[in-house]
Amino acid sequence: KQSDGSYKLIIDIKDHNYDGGSYNIHAYGKDSNGKMTFIGATKANVVIEPMTATSVTASASGNKIVTTIKGIKAPGGIKAISVPIWSDVNRQDDLVWYSAEKQSDGSYTVTMDIKDHNYNGGTYQIHVYGTETSGKMTLLGNTTVNITATKPMTATTVKAVVNENIITATVSGITAPNGISSILIPVWSDVNGQGDIKWYTATKKTDGSYQATIDAKNHNGDSGTYSIHAYGVESDGRSVFLGNTAVTVRYVETPIMGATSVTAAQ
C-alpha cells in the first residue's frame, strides 16, 4: 500500500526464468471476509538484453595460457561461462571446452595447459560463450594467442640386460626441457598378467643415464618374459612415457647353505 492509497508490487523476472516478452498481470482483491474479487488486468512487455562482456584477453607463459573475461553483464543471469580452445595445428582436432571460474573481482578466468592440446605450439583460437539461466548461449567474444611449445621429456633408448636373476634397466639420452623430478621403471613378468608389477625409481649415473636394478625374486621368481617400461616425471609433476623393452629371465633358485654331517667329540 502506498501513501496515496494505491497498491504496488515489484516483480523480478529472475522468478520467471528470466523470460522476456509479454507478461500477463491480473489483480485480485480480498475483503475482510476472505472473499476474493477480480479487480482488473494488464500486460507488460519485457525486453531481455543478451549477455555481454567488455573484454576477452589471453596471455601465454611457459606451457600455459590464461584467458580472462571481464565486464560481464547478464540481465538473464549467468549459468556458465564456457571457453572452447584449439590450436591452428590440424584445425580443431585438439578442441577442448573449458569452464571458466568466477574471480573475486567479478571476472572469469580459465587456465589451459598445452599438454592437453598435443603440446602444439603456434596460434591458439579462444572463444567465449555465456550460458544464461534460461539455457540460452551467447558468444561473448574471441581472441588468439601465440605460444612457443616446450616439448616434453624424451629418451633415445630404453634397454635392459639380464645377469642370472638380476635385470639392469637403463634409460639413456634423456632430454628434459621442463626438468626431471624422477625416472620411474614399472616391471612385470608375463606370468599372470601384471599381477606382480612393481615400480622402481631409477638412479642417475655419471654419464647422465638412469638405471634401475630388478631382482626376479621380487616377482615371484617367475621365469619367462619381463616387460619393462620407463616414465619420466617432469618438475611440474607431469608424467611422460619414455619407451619400453623386454627381456627373458630363466630364474635359478639360490642354493640353501647345508652340510653333510655335524659331529661332536669329547
Side-chain angles (χ1 to χ4, degrees), residues 48-52 73-75 132 136 138:
I48 303 297
E49 297 294 333
M51 190 186 306
T52 59
K73 293 183 179 180
E132 300 178 12
K136 179 183 178 181
T138 303

Side-chain angles (χ1 to χ4, degrees), residues 31-96:
D31 62 25
S32 56
N33 295 318
K35 181 181 178 181
M36 184 176 286
T37 303
F38 175 70
I39 297 174
T42 188
K43 289 187 176 184
N45 189 56
V46 176
V47 178
I48 303 297
E49 297 294 333
M51 190 186 306
T52 59
T54 57
S55 68
V56 174
T57 60
S59 60
S61 178
N63 280 350
K64 295 183 178 180
I65 295 172
V66 178
T67 301
T68 303
I69 307 99
K70 293 183 177 181
I72 297 176
K73 293 183 179 180
I78 300 174
K79 183 177 181 180
I81 303 295
S82 303
V83 184
I85 301 176
W86 68 96
S87 72
D88 281 355
V89 178
N90 297 324
R91 301 185 180 231
Q92 291 187 335
D93 71 333
D94 64 318
L95 172 67
V96 177

Side-chain angles (χ1 to χ4, degrees), residues 61-250:
S61 178
N63 280 350
K64 295 183 178 180
I65 295 172
V66 178
T67 301
T68 303
I69 307 99
K70 293 183 177 181
I72 297 176
K73 293 183 179 180
I78 300 174
K79 183 177 181 180
I81 303 295
S82 303
V83 184
I85 301 176
W86 68 96
S87 72
D88 281 355
V89 178
N90 297 324
R91 301 185 180 231
Q92 291 187 335
D93 71 333
D94 64 318
L95 172 67
V96 177
W97 283 75
Y98 297 90
S99 294
E101 294 185 359
K102 188 175 183 179
Q103 306 301 304
S104 58
D105 63 357
S107 64
Y108 282 73
T109 65
V110 164
T111 300
M112 177 276 278
D113 195 316
I114 64 172
K115 71 181 176 64
D116 300 317
H117 296 263
N118 307 317
Y119 286 97
N120 291 332
T123 301
Y124 276 77
Q125 303 291 332
I126 302 167
H127 287 202
V128 176
Y129 291 88
T131 302
E132 300 178 12
T133 304
S134 64
K136 179 183 178 181
M137 181 178 281
T138 303
L139 176 68
L140 300 180
N142 65 284
T143 188
T144 61
V145 66
N146 287 302
I147 192 167
T148 301
T150 303
K151 295 297 183 180
M153 189 187 310
T154 59
T156 56
T157 58
V158 176
K159 64 180 182 180
V161 296
V162 180
N163 184 8
E164 295 185 350
N165 297 336
I166 304 299
I167 303 169
T168 303
T170 305
V171 185
S172 303
I174 297 174
T175 301
N178 304 307
I180 300 174
S181 176
S182 61
I183 303 296
L184 303 178
I185 313 288
V187 179
W188 67 95
S189 73
D190 281 0
V191 179
N192 298 321
Q194 291 187 335
D196 63 311
I197 188 170
K198 293 186 184 300
W199 288 74
Y200 299 87
T201 300
T203 302
K204 188 175 183 179
K205 314 305 288 185
T206 56
D207 63 358
S209 65
Y210 281 74
Q211 198 172 85
T213 301
I214 301 102
D215 193 328
K217 74 178 181 181
N218 296 325
H219 295 264
N220 307 317
D222 291 337
S223 291
T225 301
Y226 278 69
S227 293
I228 302 163
H229 286 203
Y231 290 86
V233 180
E234 299 184 345
S235 298
D236 62 0
R238 77 186 76 183
S239 180
V240 180
F241 177 67
L242 299 178
N244 64 288
T245 188
V247 293
T248 300
V249 174
R250 293 179 177 81

